Amino acid sequence: MTYLRYIIVLFAVWQTNAQRSDFNHIDFKKADSIALSYSNETLHNLPDLTSKLTANLETEVEQFRAIYFWVCHNISNDYSWYLKNKRKRERFKDDLDQLNSWNEQSRSRILKNMLNKKRTICTGYAYLVKKLATLANIECEIVDGFGRTSMIDVDKLTTPNHSWNAVKIDNKWYLCDPTWASGIPNPETQKFMFYYNDGFYLANPKLFAINHFPADEKWLLMDQNAPTFKDFIDAPVVYGKAYTNLNGHEAPKKMHHDVRKYETITFKYELAKSVEADDITFEIDDGYRNKKIHPKTTHQEDSSLTVQYQFDTTGFYDVHLFIGEDRISTYTFNVKG
């Protein structure tokens, strides 16, 4: 292997492995405690806020942690504005002048609401994390792209609909999503509830790519075996709780499947921590009733979990994987005789 090729391969491995586990030796309690102690701070003096959050922390990762943790615990998701922005962008998608005009209005409203009400949408979250990180001399970028949730019809995605961050810590780039980490908006009441999800902090790029696809593909941070946009569109639905239970989702790679009765279907995951076999369940919905079952075949070796299942009746099924009470992922199966 030539020296240049060795460096390229080393760089690819180095980027792919950039994830939270790099900092398992770091205790973030101090950074989190500092962030929580400044919960009443406003956004009217960002340099002062940055100094308060980072001055007593020695490492870059702790400083960024305090910034990220503060944003996720103090900025609420303006879900009603998100819906309005989504409608307008869809309406003007074929009229560039109208779209640019709306985007300009939207940016002004987003920044005003964030400054005065500490409410925003994904672009505001990503902007604020980048701004505070930059003030702390930590390199950080806003990543625009496509976000996939159970409520989004991915087949209709034509323009980026989400934003998140890439941050450079100790000369490695890492991914995080402060919007999805901060809490859960209720789609019926449009009210936001803070519910921090630590799994979106310095997430594994392989898992992150299942429901985040950047407009600039370099921010996949995967130079080897990187997914395509079609892979992203075809992928299963992965929920927020997957990020606290998994380091990777290996199989099935797709959401929709045509299978035969008694055909063995393999589900494979990389666990963040070991689980008991009794904690693994499938919720199977045939359109008429739901049933929860424990799969008969599970195998756990180190951090790898393999689950196998066979359908014994024909039909169309939604299958949801649970670990404990946490919904992890969803697939569909059209089972033929």
Side-chain angles (χ1 to χ4, degrees):
M1 180 181 291
T2 66
Y3 178 75
L4 178 59
R5 186 179 174 193
Y6 172 79
I7 292 297
I8 291 172
V9 170
L10 181 63
F11 176 79
V13 173
W14 173 77
Q15 277 297 153
T16 302
N17 292 335
Q19 56 186 292
R20 170 70 177 271
S21 60
D22 288 348
F23 302 104
N24 282 345
H25 61 288
I26 298 288
D27 186 344
F28 290 116
K29 288 181 181 178
K30 182 178 179 181
D32 294 351
S33 177
I34 290 172
L36 292 174
S37 71
Y38 289 108
S39 60
N40 293 324
E41 293 292 313
T42 70
L43 298 176
H44 291 88
N45 190 337
L46 295 184
D48 182 59
L49 174 59
T50 303
S51 178
K52 288 176 178 176
L53 292 174
T54 63
N56 294 317
L57 296 170
E58 295 181 2
T59 64
E60 274 190 335
V61 69
E62 289 176 286
Q63 291 171 354
F64 181 73
R65 170 71 175 201
I67 289 168
Y68 178 86
F69 202 78
W70 188 91
V71 171
C72 292
H73 283 79
N74 288 276
I75 307 300
S76 61
N77 194 318
D78 193 347
Y79 191 67
S80 61
W81 183 256
Y82 161 77
L83 292 176
K84 182 175 181 178
N85 186 49
K86 180 182 176 183
R87 290 193 298 268
K88 290 285 189 177
R89 286 173 61 84
E90 182 65 26
R91 178 180 172 185
F92 299 141
K93 66 179 182 180
D94 296 323
D95 189 329
L96 186 59
D97 289 338
Q98 286 272 46
L99 181 61
N100 288 337
S101 176
W102 168 251
N103 285 340
E104 189 63 33
Q105 294 178 50
S106 180
R107 279 192 290 270
S108 176
R109 162 69 185 265
I110 289 167
L111 292 175
K112 182 178 179 181
N113 270 5
M114 184 168 62
L115 181 65
N116 297 324
K117 299 180 181 179
K118 294 167 79 171
R119 296 175 61 190
T120 191
I121 60 175
C122 60
T123 51
Y125 279 100
Y127 168 82
L128 184 57
V129 167
K130 173 181 167 61
K131 183 66 175 179
L132 294 174
T134 300
L135 288 169
N137 295 315
I138 297 171
E139 194 171 349
C140 186
E141 297 292 342
I142 298 171
V143 181
D144 296 318
F146 300 85
R148 177 193 181 101
T149 71
S150 61
M151 299 173 59
I152 294 173
D153 186 350
V154 293
D155 291 331
K156 294 183 179 179
L157 287 179
T158 56
T159 58
N161 67 330
H162 192 43
S163 299
W164 55 93
N165 292 99
V167 59
K168 195 175 187 180
I169 300 173
D170 296 343
N171 294 315
K172 287 186 182 181
W173 284 101
Y174 295 84
L175 299 168
C176 59
D177 188 335
T179 308
W180 289 1
S182 63
I184 304 170
N186 186 316
E188 295 180 2
T189 64
Q190 297 186 9
K191 291 183 178 180
F192 176 78
M193 178 178 69
F194 282 105
Y195 190 86
Y196 178 66
N197 185 335
D198 200 36
F200 289 109
Y201 177 69
L202 312 186
N204 186 324
K206 291 192 299 181
L207 182 62
F208 203 77
I210 295 176
N211 49 12
H212 297 77
F213 197 91
D216 184 344
E217 294 183 24
K218 76 178 182 181
W219 294 120
L220 286 168
L221 300 188
M222 287 189 290
D223 292 332
Q224 291 181 328
N225 302 317
T228 64
F229 187 66
K230 186 177 188 308
D231 293 332
F232 169 77
I233 294 296
D234 291 342
V237 173
V238 170
Y239 300 92
K241 288 295 184 179
Y243 285 80
T244 59
N245 288 275
L246 304 180
N247 279 329
H249 178 293
E250 306 298 335
K253 296 289 189 184
K254 296 182 178 182
M255 174 76 172
H256 305 294
H257 303 268
D258 291 318
V259 299
R260 293 287 180 182
K261 191 167 60 170
Y262 301 118
E263 179 181 337
T264 299
I265 304 161
T266 299
F267 303 78
K268 191 172 182 179
Y269 311 91
E270 182 184 342
L271 296 171
K273 54 189 175 183
S274 62
V275 299
E276 298 294 329
D278 287 345
D279 289 334
I280 302 166
T281 56
F282 284 128
E283 182 181 273
I284 300 177
D285 185 346
D286 65 1
Y288 300 97
R289 62 190 180 96
N290 285 332
K291 65 177 181 179
K292 272 198 171 184
I293 64 162
H294 291 284
K296 295 179 180 179
T297 305
T298 63
H299 177 70
Q300 192 174 160
E301 182 176 352
D302 297 327
S303 63
S304 179
L305 171 67
T306 301
V307 182
Q308 292 184 324
Y309 185 73
Q310 295 176 336
F311 288 95
D312 56 13
T313 56
T314 60
F316 188 86
Y317 301 91
D318 291 331
V319 176
H320 313 282
L321 175 79
F322 283 78
I323 297 178
E325 297 299 317
D326 295 341
R327 187 189 296 258
I328 304 299
S329 50
T330 294
Y331 321 86
T332 67
F333 293 92
N334 182 23
V335 183
K336 302 176 182 179

